[in-house]
Short mmCIF file of all heavy atoms in Angstrom, two decimals:
data_model
loop_
_atom_site.label_atom_id
_atom_site.label_comp_id
_atom_site.label_asym_id
_atom_site.label_seq_id
_atom_site.Cartn_x
_atom_site.Cartn_y
_atom_site.Cartn_z
N ARG A 74 6.50 116.30 43.40
CA ARG A 74 5.55 115.18 43.32
C ARG A 74 6.05 113.98 44.13
O ARG A 74 5.29 113.34 44.85
CB ARG A 74 5.34 114.80 41.85
CG ARG A 74 4.17 113.88 41.63
CD ARG A 74 3.90 113.67 40.16
NE ARG A 74 3.23 114.85 39.61
CZ ARG A 74 3.55 115.43 38.45
NH1 ARG A 74 4.53 114.95 37.71
NH2 ARG A 74 2.89 116.47 38.03
N ARG A 75 7.35 113.69 44.01
CA ARG A 75 7.93 112.58 44.79
C ARG A 75 7.85 112.86 46.29
O ARG A 75 7.53 111.98 47.07
CB ARG A 75 9.38 112.33 44.37
CG ARG A 75 9.54 111.57 43.08
CD ARG A 75 10.97 111.12 42.87
NE ARG A 75 11.93 112.20 42.92
CZ ARG A 75 12.31 112.94 41.89
NH1 ARG A 75 11.80 112.73 40.71
NH2 ARG A 75 13.20 113.91 42.04
N ARG A 76 8.16 114.10 46.68
CA ARG A 76 8.08 114.46 48.10
C ARG A 76 6.65 114.36 48.62
O ARG A 76 6.42 113.92 49.74
CB ARG A 76 8.62 115.87 48.33
CG ARG A 76 10.13 115.94 48.33
CD ARG A 76 10.62 117.30 48.76
NE ARG A 76 10.12 118.40 47.94
CZ ARG A 76 10.65 118.78 46.78
NH1 ARG A 76 11.70 118.16 46.30
NH2 ARG A 76 10.13 119.81 46.12
N ALA A 77 5.70 114.76 47.80
CA ALA A 77 4.29 114.71 48.22
C ALA A 77 3.85 113.27 48.47
O ALA A 77 3.01 113.01 49.35
CB ALA A 77 3.39 115.37 47.18
N LEU A 78 4.40 112.33 47.72
CA LEU A 78 4.04 110.93 47.93
C LEU A 78 4.64 110.37 49.22
O LEU A 78 4.06 109.49 49.84
CB LEU A 78 4.51 110.08 46.75
CG LEU A 78 3.80 110.32 45.43
CD1 LEU A 78 4.48 109.53 44.31
CD2 LEU A 78 2.33 109.96 45.53
N ARG A 79 5.81 110.89 49.61
CA ARG A 79 6.48 110.38 50.80
C ARG A 79 6.08 111.10 52.07
O ARG A 79 6.04 110.51 53.13
CB ARG A 79 8.00 110.50 50.64
CG ARG A 79 8.61 109.56 49.67
CD ARG A 79 10.13 109.58 49.76
NE ARG A 79 10.70 110.89 49.86
CZ ARG A 79 11.26 111.58 48.88
NH1 ARG A 79 11.31 111.06 47.69
NH2 ARG A 79 11.78 112.77 49.08
N GLU A 80 5.83 112.38 51.98
CA GLU A 80 5.58 113.18 53.18
C GLU A 80 4.11 113.13 53.57
O GLU A 80 3.23 113.29 52.75
CB GLU A 80 5.98 114.64 52.92
CG GLU A 80 7.46 114.81 52.70
CD GLU A 80 7.82 116.24 52.32
OE1 GLU A 80 6.92 117.06 52.11
OE2 GLU A 80 9.02 116.50 52.24
N VAL A 81 3.89 112.93 54.85
CA VAL A 81 2.55 112.95 55.41
C VAL A 81 2.59 113.92 56.58
O VAL A 81 3.34 113.72 57.53
CB VAL A 81 2.12 111.55 55.90
CG1 VAL A 81 0.75 111.60 56.54
CG2 VAL A 81 2.16 110.56 54.76
N PRO A 82 1.79 114.98 56.52
CA PRO A 82 1.82 115.95 57.62
C PRO A 82 1.30 115.31 58.90
O PRO A 82 0.36 114.51 58.87
CB PRO A 82 0.91 117.08 57.15
CG PRO A 82 0.06 116.48 56.09
CD PRO A 82 0.84 115.36 55.49
N TYR A 83 1.94 115.64 60.00
CA TYR A 83 1.53 115.09 61.29
C TYR A 83 0.63 116.09 61.99
O TYR A 83 1.04 117.20 62.30
CB TYR A 83 2.73 114.79 62.17
CG TYR A 83 2.32 114.35 63.56
CD1 TYR A 83 1.79 113.09 63.75
CD2 TYR A 83 2.43 115.19 64.64
CE1 TYR A 83 1.39 112.67 64.99
CE2 TYR A 83 2.04 114.79 65.90
CZ TYR A 83 1.52 113.53 66.07
OH TYR A 83 1.11 113.12 67.31
N GLU A 84 -0.61 115.70 62.18
CA GLU A 84 -1.56 116.51 62.92
C GLU A 84 -2.35 115.54 63.80
O GLU A 84 -3.19 114.81 63.30
CB GLU A 84 -2.50 117.25 61.98
CG GLU A 84 -1.80 118.26 61.10
CD GLU A 84 -2.76 118.96 60.15
OE1 GLU A 84 -3.95 119.04 60.48
OE2 GLU A 84 -2.30 119.41 59.11
N PRO A 85 -2.06 115.51 65.09
CA PRO A 85 -2.76 114.57 65.95
C PRO A 85 -4.27 114.82 65.91
O PRO A 85 -4.72 115.95 66.00
CB PRO A 85 -2.22 114.87 67.35
CG PRO A 85 -1.08 115.79 67.17
CD PRO A 85 -1.13 116.36 65.80
N GLY A 86 -5.01 113.74 65.74
CA GLY A 86 -6.47 113.85 65.72
C GLY A 86 -7.02 114.33 64.41
O GLY A 86 -8.21 114.57 64.28
N HIS A 87 -6.15 114.50 63.39
CA HIS A 87 -6.60 114.95 62.09
C HIS A 87 -6.11 113.97 61.04
O HIS A 87 -5.28 113.14 61.30
CB HIS A 87 -6.05 116.34 61.79
CG HIS A 87 -6.59 117.39 62.70
ND1 HIS A 87 -6.04 117.65 63.93
CD2 HIS A 87 -7.63 118.24 62.55
CE1 HIS A 87 -6.73 118.61 64.51
NE2 HIS A 87 -7.69 118.99 63.70
N GLY A 88 -6.65 114.10 59.86
CA GLY A 88 -6.24 113.24 58.78
C GLY A 88 -7.42 112.48 58.24
O GLY A 88 -8.55 112.61 58.71
N PRO A 89 -7.19 111.64 57.24
CA PRO A 89 -8.30 110.95 56.59
C PRO A 89 -9.00 109.93 57.48
O PRO A 89 -10.18 109.68 57.30
CB PRO A 89 -7.66 110.27 55.40
CG PRO A 89 -6.20 110.26 55.69
CD PRO A 89 -5.91 111.35 56.65
N ASP A 90 -8.25 109.36 58.43
CA ASP A 90 -8.86 108.32 59.27
C ASP A 90 -9.42 108.86 60.57
O ASP A 90 -10.03 108.12 61.33
CB ASP A 90 -7.82 107.24 59.60
CG ASP A 90 -7.34 106.54 58.34
OD1 ASP A 90 -8.13 106.45 57.39
OD2 ASP A 90 -6.19 106.12 58.30
N ALA A 91 -9.20 110.13 60.86
CA ALA A 91 -9.67 110.70 62.12
C ALA A 91 -11.17 110.97 62.05
O ALA A 91 -11.66 111.51 61.07
CB ALA A 91 -8.93 112.00 62.43
N PRO A 92 -11.89 110.54 63.08
CA PRO A 92 -13.34 110.78 63.07
C PRO A 92 -13.64 112.26 63.30
O PRO A 92 -12.96 112.94 64.04
CB PRO A 92 -13.85 109.93 64.24
CG PRO A 92 -12.67 109.68 65.10
CD PRO A 92 -11.46 109.78 64.22
N SER A 93 -14.68 112.73 62.64
CA SER A 93 -15.09 114.12 62.79
C SER A 93 -15.97 114.26 64.03
O SER A 93 -16.40 113.28 64.63
CB SER A 93 -15.85 114.58 61.55
OG SER A 93 -17.07 113.86 61.45
N ALA A 94 -16.28 115.49 64.38
CA ALA A 94 -17.16 115.75 65.52
C ALA A 94 -18.54 115.15 65.26
O ALA A 94 -19.18 114.60 66.16
CB ALA A 94 -17.26 117.24 65.77
N GLU A 95 -18.99 115.23 64.02
CA GLU A 95 -20.28 114.66 63.66
C GLU A 95 -20.28 113.15 63.87
O GLU A 95 -21.24 112.57 64.39
CB GLU A 95 -20.60 114.99 62.21
CG GLU A 95 -21.94 114.46 61.75
CD GLU A 95 -22.22 114.77 60.28
OE1 GLU A 95 -21.32 115.27 59.58
OE2 GLU A 95 -23.34 114.49 59.84
N ASN A 96 -19.19 112.48 63.48
CA ASN A 96 -19.09 111.04 63.67
C ASN A 96 -19.09 110.67 65.15
O ASN A 96 -19.68 109.65 65.53
CB ASN A 96 -17.83 110.49 63.01
CG ASN A 96 -17.95 110.47 61.50
OD1 ASN A 96 -19.05 110.54 60.96
ND2 ASN A 96 -16.83 110.41 60.83
N HIS A 97 -18.45 111.49 65.99
CA HIS A 97 -18.46 111.24 67.43
C HIS A 97 -19.89 111.30 67.97
O HIS A 97 -20.30 110.47 68.76
CB HIS A 97 -17.58 112.26 68.18
CG HIS A 97 -16.12 111.98 68.09
ND1 HIS A 97 -15.53 110.84 68.59
CD2 HIS A 97 -15.11 112.71 67.57
CE1 HIS A 97 -14.24 110.88 68.38
NE2 HIS A 97 -13.95 112.01 67.75
N VAL A 98 -20.62 112.30 67.54
CA VAL A 98 -22.01 112.46 68.01
C VAL A 98 -22.86 111.31 67.53
O VAL A 98 -23.66 110.75 68.30
CB VAL A 98 -22.58 113.82 67.53
CG1 VAL A 98 -24.07 113.91 67.78
CG2 VAL A 98 -21.85 114.97 68.21
N LEU A 99 -22.71 110.93 66.26
CA LEU A 99 -23.51 109.82 65.73
C LEU A 99 -23.17 108.50 66.42
O LEU A 99 -24.07 107.71 66.72
CB LEU A 99 -23.31 109.70 64.23
CG LEU A 99 -23.89 110.84 63.39
CD1 LEU A 99 -23.48 110.68 61.93
CD2 LEU A 99 -25.40 110.89 63.52
N ASP A 100 -21.90 108.27 66.68
CA ASP A 100 -21.50 107.05 67.40
C ASP A 100 -22.07 107.02 68.81
O ASP A 100 -22.54 105.98 69.28
CB ASP A 100 -19.97 106.93 67.46
CG ASP A 100 -19.36 106.57 66.12
OD1 ASP A 100 -20.10 106.11 65.23
OD2 ASP A 100 -18.13 106.76 65.97
N ALA A 101 -22.03 108.15 69.49
CA ALA A 101 -22.58 108.22 70.85
C ALA A 101 -24.09 107.96 70.82
O ALA A 101 -24.61 107.27 71.70
CB ALA A 101 -22.29 109.58 71.47
N GLU A 102 -24.77 108.47 69.81
CA GLU A 102 -26.22 108.24 69.69
C GLU A 102 -26.51 106.77 69.42
O GLU A 102 -27.44 106.20 69.98
CB GLU A 102 -26.79 109.13 68.58
CG GLU A 102 -28.26 108.96 68.34
CD GLU A 102 -29.13 109.30 69.54
OE1 GLU A 102 -28.71 110.10 70.39
OE2 GLU A 102 -30.25 108.74 69.63
N ARG A 103 -25.71 106.15 68.58
CA ARG A 103 -25.90 104.71 68.30
C ARG A 103 -25.67 103.87 69.56
O ARG A 103 -26.42 102.94 69.84
CB ARG A 103 -24.95 104.26 67.20
CG ARG A 103 -25.37 104.70 65.83
CD ARG A 103 -24.44 104.10 64.76
NE ARG A 103 -24.55 104.86 63.55
CZ ARG A 103 -23.61 105.67 63.07
NH1 ARG A 103 -22.46 105.77 63.68
NH2 ARG A 103 -23.81 106.35 61.96
N ARG A 104 -24.63 104.21 70.32
CA ARG A 104 -24.37 103.48 71.57
C ARG A 104 -25.52 103.66 72.55
O ARG A 104 -25.93 102.71 73.22
CB ARG A 104 -23.05 103.93 72.18
CG ARG A 104 -21.82 103.40 71.47
CD ARG A 104 -20.54 103.64 72.25
NE ARG A 104 -20.29 105.04 72.52
CZ ARG A 104 -19.66 105.88 71.71
NH1 ARG A 104 -19.21 105.44 70.56
NH2 ARG A 104 -19.47 107.14 72.05
N ARG A 105 -26.04 104.88 72.66
CA ARG A 105 -27.16 105.15 73.57
C ARG A 105 -28.39 104.35 73.15
O ARG A 105 -29.05 103.72 73.97
CB ARG A 105 -27.49 106.64 73.59
CG ARG A 105 -28.53 106.99 74.66
CD ARG A 105 -29.27 108.27 74.35
NE ARG A 105 -29.96 108.28 73.08
CZ ARG A 105 -31.11 107.64 72.82
NH1 ARG A 105 -31.69 106.91 73.73
NH2 ARG A 105 -31.67 107.71 71.62
N ALA A 106 -28.68 104.32 71.84
CA ALA A 106 -29.83 103.57 71.35
C ALA A 106 -29.65 102.07 71.59
O ALA A 106 -30.61 101.37 71.96
CB ALA A 106 -30.04 103.84 69.86
N LEU A 107 -28.44 101.57 71.40
CA LEU A 107 -28.16 100.15 71.65
C LEU A 107 -28.34 99.80 73.12
O LEU A 107 -28.98 98.80 73.46
CB LEU A 107 -26.74 99.81 71.19
CG LEU A 107 -26.29 98.37 71.41
CD1 LEU A 107 -27.15 97.41 70.60
CD2 LEU A 107 -24.83 98.22 71.06
N ARG A 108 -27.79 100.64 74.00
CA ARG A 108 -27.94 100.40 75.45
C ARG A 108 -29.41 100.42 75.86
O ARG A 108 -29.84 99.61 76.67
CB ARG A 108 -27.16 101.44 76.26
CG ARG A 108 -25.68 101.39 76.05
CD ARG A 108 -25.05 100.39 76.96
NE ARG A 108 -23.60 100.41 76.76
CZ ARG A 108 -22.82 99.49 77.22
NH1 ARG A 108 -23.29 98.47 77.89
NH2 ARG A 108 -21.53 99.55 77.00
N ALA A 109 -30.18 101.36 75.29
CA ALA A 109 -31.61 101.44 75.61
C ALA A 109 -32.34 100.19 75.13
O ALA A 109 -33.20 99.65 75.85
CB ALA A 109 -32.22 102.70 75.00
N ALA A 110 -31.99 99.72 73.93
CA ALA A 110 -32.63 98.51 73.41
C ALA A 110 -32.25 97.29 74.23
O ALA A 110 -33.09 96.42 74.50
CB ALA A 110 -32.24 98.31 71.94
N VAL A 111 -31.00 97.21 74.65
CA VAL A 111 -30.56 96.09 75.49
C VAL A 111 -31.34 96.09 76.80
O VAL A 111 -31.74 95.03 77.31
CB VAL A 111 -29.03 96.15 75.75
CG1 VAL A 111 -28.61 95.23 76.88
CG2 VAL A 111 -28.28 95.79 74.48
N GLY A 112 -31.60 97.25 77.36
CA GLY A 112 -32.35 97.35 78.62
C GLY A 112 -33.79 96.89 78.50
O GLY A 112 -34.41 96.50 79.49
N ARG A 113 -34.35 96.90 77.29
CA ARG A 113 -35.74 96.48 77.07
C ARG A 113 -35.86 95.00 76.74
O ARG A 113 -36.98 94.50 76.55
CB ARG A 113 -36.35 97.31 75.95
CG ARG A 113 -36.54 98.78 76.30
CD ARG A 113 -37.38 99.51 75.26
NE ARG A 113 -36.92 99.34 73.90
CZ ARG A 113 -36.07 100.14 73.27
NH1 ARG A 113 -35.55 101.17 73.90
NH2 ARG A 113 -35.73 99.91 72.01
N LEU A 114 -34.76 94.29 76.63
CA LEU A 114 -34.82 92.85 76.31
C LEU A 114 -35.41 92.06 77.47
O LEU A 114 -35.30 92.45 78.63
CB LEU A 114 -33.42 92.34 75.98
CG LEU A 114 -32.82 92.79 74.65
CD1 LEU A 114 -31.37 92.37 74.55
CD2 LEU A 114 -33.61 92.25 73.48
N PRO A 115 -36.01 90.89 77.17
CA PRO A 115 -36.62 90.08 78.24
C PRO A 115 -35.59 89.19 78.96
O PRO A 115 -34.50 88.94 78.46
CB PRO A 115 -37.62 89.21 77.46
CG PRO A 115 -37.01 89.07 76.10
CD PRO A 115 -36.30 90.38 75.85
N GLY A 116 -35.96 88.72 80.12
CA GLY A 116 -35.19 87.75 80.88
C GLY A 116 -33.81 88.22 81.29
O GLY A 116 -33.60 89.33 81.74
N ARG A 117 -32.83 87.29 81.13
CA ARG A 117 -31.45 87.58 81.52
C ARG A 117 -30.65 88.30 80.42
O ARG A 117 -29.48 88.62 80.61
CB ARG A 117 -30.73 86.28 81.85
CG ARG A 117 -31.25 85.61 83.07
CD ARG A 117 -30.41 84.41 83.36
NE ARG A 117 -30.59 84.01 84.74
CZ ARG A 117 -29.97 83.00 85.28
NH1 ARG A 117 -29.11 82.30 84.57
NH2 ARG A 117 -30.19 82.67 86.54
N CYS A 118 -31.30 88.56 79.30
CA CYS A 118 -30.59 89.18 78.17
C CYS A 118 -29.97 90.54 78.51
O CYS A 118 -28.83 90.79 78.14
CB CYS A 118 -31.53 89.30 76.97
SG CYS A 118 -31.91 87.70 76.21
N PRO A 119 -30.68 91.44 79.22
CA PRO A 119 -30.05 92.72 79.52
C PRO A 119 -28.76 92.56 80.33
O PRO A 119 -27.76 93.24 80.05
CB PRO A 119 -31.11 93.48 80.32
CG PRO A 119 -32.39 92.86 79.94
CD PRO A 119 -32.08 91.43 79.63
N GLN A 120 -28.78 91.64 81.31
CA GLN A 120 -27.58 91.44 82.13
C GLN A 120 -26.44 90.89 81.29
O GLN A 120 -25.30 91.39 81.35
CB GLN A 120 -27.87 90.47 83.26
CG GLN A 120 -28.85 90.97 84.28
CD GLN A 120 -29.25 89.84 85.23
OE1 GLN A 120 -29.40 88.70 84.80
NE2 GLN A 120 -29.40 90.19 86.51
N LEU A 121 -26.73 89.86 80.50
CA LEU A 121 -25.70 89.20 79.71
C LEU A 121 -25.11 90.16 78.67
O LEU A 121 -23.88 90.30 78.57
CB LEU A 121 -26.25 87.96 79.01
CG LEU A 121 -25.29 87.24 78.06
CD1 LEU A 121 -24.07 86.74 78.82
CD2 LEU A 121 -25.99 86.12 77.35
N LEU A 122 -25.95 90.84 77.92
CA LEU A 122 -25.44 91.72 76.88
C LEU A 122 -24.75 92.95 77.46
O LEU A 122 -23.80 93.47 76.87
CB LEU A 122 -26.56 92.12 75.92
CG LEU A 122 -27.09 90.98 75.04
CD1 LEU A 122 -28.14 91.48 74.08
CD2 LEU A 122 -25.97 90.28 74.29
N SER A 123 -25.18 93.40 78.62
CA SER A 123 -24.49 94.52 79.26
C SER A 123 -23.06 94.13 79.64
O SER A 123 -22.14 94.91 79.49
CB SER A 123 -25.25 94.99 80.50
OG SER A 123 -26.46 95.57 80.13
N VAL A 124 -22.91 92.91 80.14
CA VAL A 124 -21.58 92.43 80.49
C VAL A 124 -20.73 92.26 79.22
O VAL A 124 -19.55 92.62 79.20
CB VAL A 124 -21.66 91.10 81.28
CG1 VAL A 124 -20.30 90.48 81.43
CG2 VAL A 124 -22.30 91.33 82.63
N LEU A 125 -21.36 91.75 78.16
CA LEU A 125 -20.62 91.56 76.91
C LEU A 125 -20.23 92.90 76.27
O LEU A 125 -19.19 93.01 75.63
CB LEU A 125 -21.44 90.73 75.93
CG LEU A 125 -21.61 89.25 76.30
CD1 LEU A 125 -22.57 88.57 75.33
CD2 LEU A 125 -20.28 88.54 76.31
#
Side-chain angles (χ1 to χ4, degrees):
R74 193 173 284 135
R75 282 191 305 271
R76 282 189 302 277
L78 292 173
R79 289 191 316 260
E80 294 175 353
V81 178
Y83 175 73
E84 296 179 25
H87 294 84
D90 298 329
S93 66
E95 181 182 8
N96 287 342
H97 282 298
V98 170
L99 291 173
D100 288 343
E102 179 61 25
R103 285 186 200 109
R104 285 191 302 273
R105 187 204 57 76
L107 178 64
R108 296 275 182 194
V111 166
R113 293 190 309 268
L114 288 172
R117 292 184 162 181
C118 289
Q120 294 170 322
L121 176 61
L122 291 183
S123 292
V124 170
L125 290 174

